[in-house]
Amino acid sequence: MLISTKGRYALRVMLELADHERGEYVPLNTIAARQEISVKYLESILVVLSKAGAIDGLRGKGGGYRLNRAPRDYTVGEILRLVEGSLAPVACLDCKPNDCHRTVECRTLPLWEKLQALIENYLDGVTLADLADPSRIGDYQI
């Protein structure tokens, strides 16, 4: 599994919004400047997050973006799935149920399923609030 630039930027943007937890809208240009992300690329990330209901957007004067839940209520896994899609380490695990014709005889499938479970359990156990305090990341056991 390789997390794309879009996934990494989405986490940075969500952390930026978490810093403004007081409910204020943060303008697009402010986020772009602080995170050193082009406005156009940032818009593509914010559209995905907004359409999924993860953030609120407001147009016009005084507008921008904000979290609509507390930072502790967002997991890294949730955010990455919104922008990346699947977190599966191999393509055959993207489908539920697995429709690979080799599933029955695949001797490596249990390895990939266990790896996916480890990845998802870890990422779903880390919240935006945890990322705001990096010393807490080490508290999670795999």
Side-chain angles (χ1 to χ4, degrees):
M1 177 190 70
L2 180 68
I3 303 298
S4 71
T5 302
K6 193 172 195 175
R8 294 191 323 270
Y9 285 4
L11 286 175
R12 286 175 34 195
V13 167
M14 293 295 281
L15 279 168
E16 177 75 26
L17 296 177
D19 288 342
H20 299 279
E21 190 180 350
R22 296 177 298 279
E24 64 195 50
Y25 285 93
V26 183
L28 176 71
N29 290 333
T30 300
I31 300 168
R34 288 179 52 102
Q35 293 302 317
E36 299 177 344
I37 302 172
S38 77
V39 170
K40 185 174 179 108
Y41 196 59
L42 178 58
E43 282 178 322
S44 72
I45 295 168
L46 291 169
V47 163
V48 171
L49 295 171
S50 183
K51 282 187 178 182
I55 60 173
D56 294 327
L58 181 66
R59 291 181 177 223
K61 186 175 169 114
Y65 296 89
R66 69 178 182 189
L67 298 182
N68 54 32
R69 302 185 307 234
R72 70 179 177 278
D73 295 331
Y74 292 90
T75 70
V76 171
E78 170 194 5
I79 296 163
L80 290 176
R81 279 185 206 90
L82 290 175
V83 295
E84 298 282 348
S86 171
L87 298 176
V90 292
C92 68
L93 294 178
D94 279 339
C95 305
K96 301 253 191 237
N98 187 333
D99 62 359
C100 176
H101 71 282
R102 294 189 44 84
T103 299
V104 174
E105 66 225 21
C106 182
R107 293 173 24 191
T108 61
L109 183 58
L111 168 80
W112 303 128
E113 290 173 332
K114 176 75 173 178
L115 179 59
Q116 181 175 8
L118 288 168
I119 291 168
E120 290 183 351
N121 288 336
Y122 179 71
L123 295 177
D124 288 338
V126 179
T127 68
L128 282 181
D130 296 328
L131 291 178
D133 180 6
S135 67
R136 294 177 59 181
I137 300 302
D139 293 342
Y140 294 93
Q141 300 297 317
I142 296 179

